[in-house]
Amino acid sequence: MATKTAPLPSVDELRRQLDAVPSKLGEEDDGRKLLTEVTTVGTAAERLVAQRTTELADLDRRLEGLGPAPQKGAPADAPDVAEQRSTLNKQRAAIDAELKLARLIAVDAEQRSAEIGRQRRALFQAALTTRVDSPLAPAFWRNLRYSAPGDAARLQALGA
């Protein structure tokens, strides 16, 4: 029994999905969610590439079956053969163009994923190296004393 897979989105839809993901990670953005979205688009683009590559190979085999186009001065193909060759060449050109765009989207998604990962690491490193008051300094204890009533109220609200 064959499993039915969801239809692949078009190249235009994949581009829209990738463009909807911000390229610059903000402080309130969830970097993991953005990475998942970009990876999903990249995976769909790679599946589309695989599908279109197979379709392109099938068209090439069909064109090969028709044989080479007649040279100038040679007798012309029969009209139905010429029409079939023209139709197959148009289909091949359309699929080839879509294949190239899907490959570009896959590469763009990979690059966007790497950039978001780099930005996440930079934000994490910045958070780790943020200076705070030393427990030996009076400012640390002053800030702790001023925030204690609010913290206690929040803890009581959790316990209630």
Side-chain angles (χ1 to χ4, degrees), residues 9 19 122 135:
D19 289 344

Side-chain angles (χ1 to χ4, degrees), residues 12-32:
D12 293 335
E13 180 60 29
L14 288 173
R15 176 54 67 189
R16 274 193 294 278
Q17 289 175 7
L18 187 60
D19 289 344
V21 177
S23 58
K24 189 151 180 79
L25 192 60
E27 287 186 25
E28 65 278 347
D29 289 332
D30 183 1
R32 290 176 304 217

Side-chain angles (χ1 to χ4, degrees), residues 57-160:
D58 290 344
L59 280 173
D60 286 341
R61 281 192 296 277
R62 290 175 66 192
L63 279 167
E64 214 175 87
L66 291 177
Q71 300 291 329
K72 285 189 177 184
D77 278 338
D80 57 334
V81 173
E83 181 180 334
Q84 183 69 19
R85 185 186 323 276
S86 174
T87 301
L88 290 174
N89 279 327
K90 286 177 186 173
Q91 289 175 357
R92 187 188 187 294
I95 289 175
D96 188 46
E98 189 175 8
L99 178 62
K100 289 175 182 174
L101 290 173
R103 283 183 181 140
L104 180 63
I105 290 171
V107 169
D108 286 350
E110 186 178 320
Q111 290 174 345
R112 177 90 47 102
S113 178
E115 179 61 22
I116 289 173
R118 188 197 62 71
Q119 290 176 21
R120 283 186 67 207
R121 282 189 299 281
L123 286 173
F124 180 69
Q125 186 176 13
L128 284 178
T129 58
T130 301
R131 287 202 159 261
V132 294
D133 292 326
S134 168
L136 301 176
F140 175 82
W141 298 104
R142 190 174 332 119
N143 291 338
L144 189 63
R145 187 178 67 232
Y146 290 135
S147 64
D151 292 343
R154 283 192 292 276
L155 284 174
Q156 284 179 348
L158 284 175

Side-chain angles (χ1 to χ4, degrees), residues 16-62:
R16 274 193 294 278
Q17 289 175 7
L18 187 60
D19 289 344
V21 177
S23 58
K24 189 151 180 79
L25 192 60
E27 287 186 25
E28 65 278 347
D29 289 332
D30 183 1
R32 290 176 304 217
K33 181 178 179 256
L34 295 178
L35 275 174
T36 301
E37 291 174 13
V38 169
T39 302
T40 301
V41 171
T43 302
E46 289 168 1
R47 287 183 23 233
L48 186 61
V49 165
Q51 181 183 13
R52 293 303 185 253
T53 300
T54 303
E55 291 173 9
L56 195 63
D58 290 344
L59 280 173
D60 286 341
R61 281 192 296 277
R62 290 175 66 192

